Structure formats: structure tokens, C-alpha cells
Amino acid sequence: MNTHKTRIAVFCSGSGSNFKALFHAIRNKHLPTEIVLCLSNRAQCGAMEFAQQNGIATVHITEKQFDSFDKFASAMIGRMKEHQVDIILLAGYMRKVPDAIVAAFPERMLNIHPALLPKFGGDGMYGIHVHTAVLEAGETETGATVHFVNEEYDKGAILLQRTVPILPDDTPETLAARVLECEHALYPDALEKLLTLQRS
Ligand code: GAR
């Protein structure tokens, strides 16, 4: 039996509510995994504060700290090795992940997106912009998607997806809140599915 706990790095840029949901779900469901690192392009944000309060190592890293993108990517890979990271979960990470990292984590990096991909994904489609576009398009339902990360933005294979209704008086903000609630259950379920796939 494989008794090694899968070591997770979560990449975040903001409030980190998905990070928190993952952290609690791993504990409550006794998943054979642990979050060992929180990486962010912001020195302080909700996710980084939560990590610090819960004894999880943090790394603040941005392109600006390096004189080339390659050096930035190498430093990121170095951090993953240092913390012996097995899988990476992007949870509201608002930067493009360097291709070198994607190549180093084949089938081992997931992202959560607040819409039903392949609709409403790609460049510029993040956070509230997604929900504004969904409402402007007159959709009757939306949702959230967890997918594998490849070199193309929001284009990797879908692992798990769940729909969320759109109500007649929704604003981008009310819709965002309903989708976020769905994400908090979806991401842990997708993680569980990935762990099962990896261990079978
Ligand atoms: C989430 O809704 C996530 O799906 C979205 O940002 C929010 C982060 O919230 N991600 C993207 O739009 C990526 N394209 P959180 O920091 O509270 O988890």
C-alpha cells in the first residue's frame, strides 16, 4: 500500500477561499494528502495569512524579483523541489504559470475556473469578468470547472464540472458568490478524484 501523503502546493493571489476550503476538506475527509506550501505573487493576501496562521510554508515570488522569465521559472521549480511537491493546485492564481512548471507537473497540476469551460475561458476571463460576460451573453446556467493545466490558458482536460443556476435578478457579484460556494465543494471533490486516479 502507498502510505506516502501526496504533497500539495497551492498557488493563490487573493482571498484564498478555495485554499481554505481545500485545507478543511483534506482534514475532514481524511484525504491522504497535505498542503505543504502556499505560493503567491502577493506578499500579503488572505491566502498567505491563512497559510501563516496554519503553519503552512509560504513563498512570495514574482517575475519582478528576477532579471529574466527563465530565472523566475527556475526559481519556482527550485521551490517545488525544496518542498518535495507532488501536485500543484491553482486556486485564484492570477498569473500565467511558466511553461517549464507545467512541463514539470504533467497531469499533476489543476486549476479551478468559475465557469463551464470551454465557455468563458481564456485571456481576460478571470474573477468578476467571467460572471459579467456570462450575464451579458444571456446564459441560463453557469458553473465551475476543475481542469488539468497545460500550456494553453483554460484549455487542459476537464476533470470535474458542476452547474449553477442563474437567477433573473443576478448581478455579477451575486452570481460570483453562488459560483464560489459551488467551487468550495467542487475543488475538494476534484482533488479526491485526482488522488484516486493517481493511486489506481
Ligand atoms: C475563484 O472564483 C476562482 O475560480 C477564480 O478566482 C476566484 C478566487 O477566489 N479564478 C479565476 O478566475 C482563474 N481564471 P479565492 O481566492 O477566494 O479562492
Side-chain angles (χ1 to χ4, degrees), residues 18-98:
N18 275 293
F19 170 42
K20 294 169 196 168
L22 284 162
F23 177 85
H24 293 303
I26 287 167
R27 285 205 170 167
N28 296 341
K29 295 180 170 191
H30 305 287
L31 299 183
T33 184
E34 62 182 321
I35 298 172
V36 296
L37 183 67
C38 174
L39 180 145
S40 183
N41 56 304
R42 290 174 59 191
Q44 270 314 323
C45 60
M48 292 290 260
E49 273 163 34
F50 181 80
Q52 284 150 6
Q53 284 160 4
N54 286 280
I56 298 168
T58 56
V59 168
H60 168 229
I61 188 166
T62 70
E63 274 177 70
K64 288 188 201 139
Q65 298 162 346
F66 301 88
D67 54 28
S68 79
F69 193 77
D70 283 353
K71 284 184 187 162
F72 165 59
S74 303
M76 248 184 168
I77 289 181
R79 292 311 189 105
M80 296 305 111
K81 286 190 178 146
E82 193 182 308
H83 291 274
Q84 299 174 295
V85 170
D86 297 309
I87 63 177
I88 296 173
L89 302 180
L90 307 184
Y93 184 62
M94 300 303 182
R95 287 282 189 280
K96 182 146 180 12
V97 177

Side-chain angles (χ1 to χ4, degrees), residues 12-19 91-94 111-114 125-127 130-131 153-154 176 179-180 183-184:
C12 301
S13 300
S15 71
S17 69
N18 275 293
F19 170 42
Y93 184 62
M94 300 303 182
N111 177 44
I112 189 155
H113 186 78
M125 282 293 168
Y126 59 89
V130 178
H131 307 292
Y153 231 60
D154 297 333
V179 172
L180 194 59
E183 292 180 46
H184 294 161

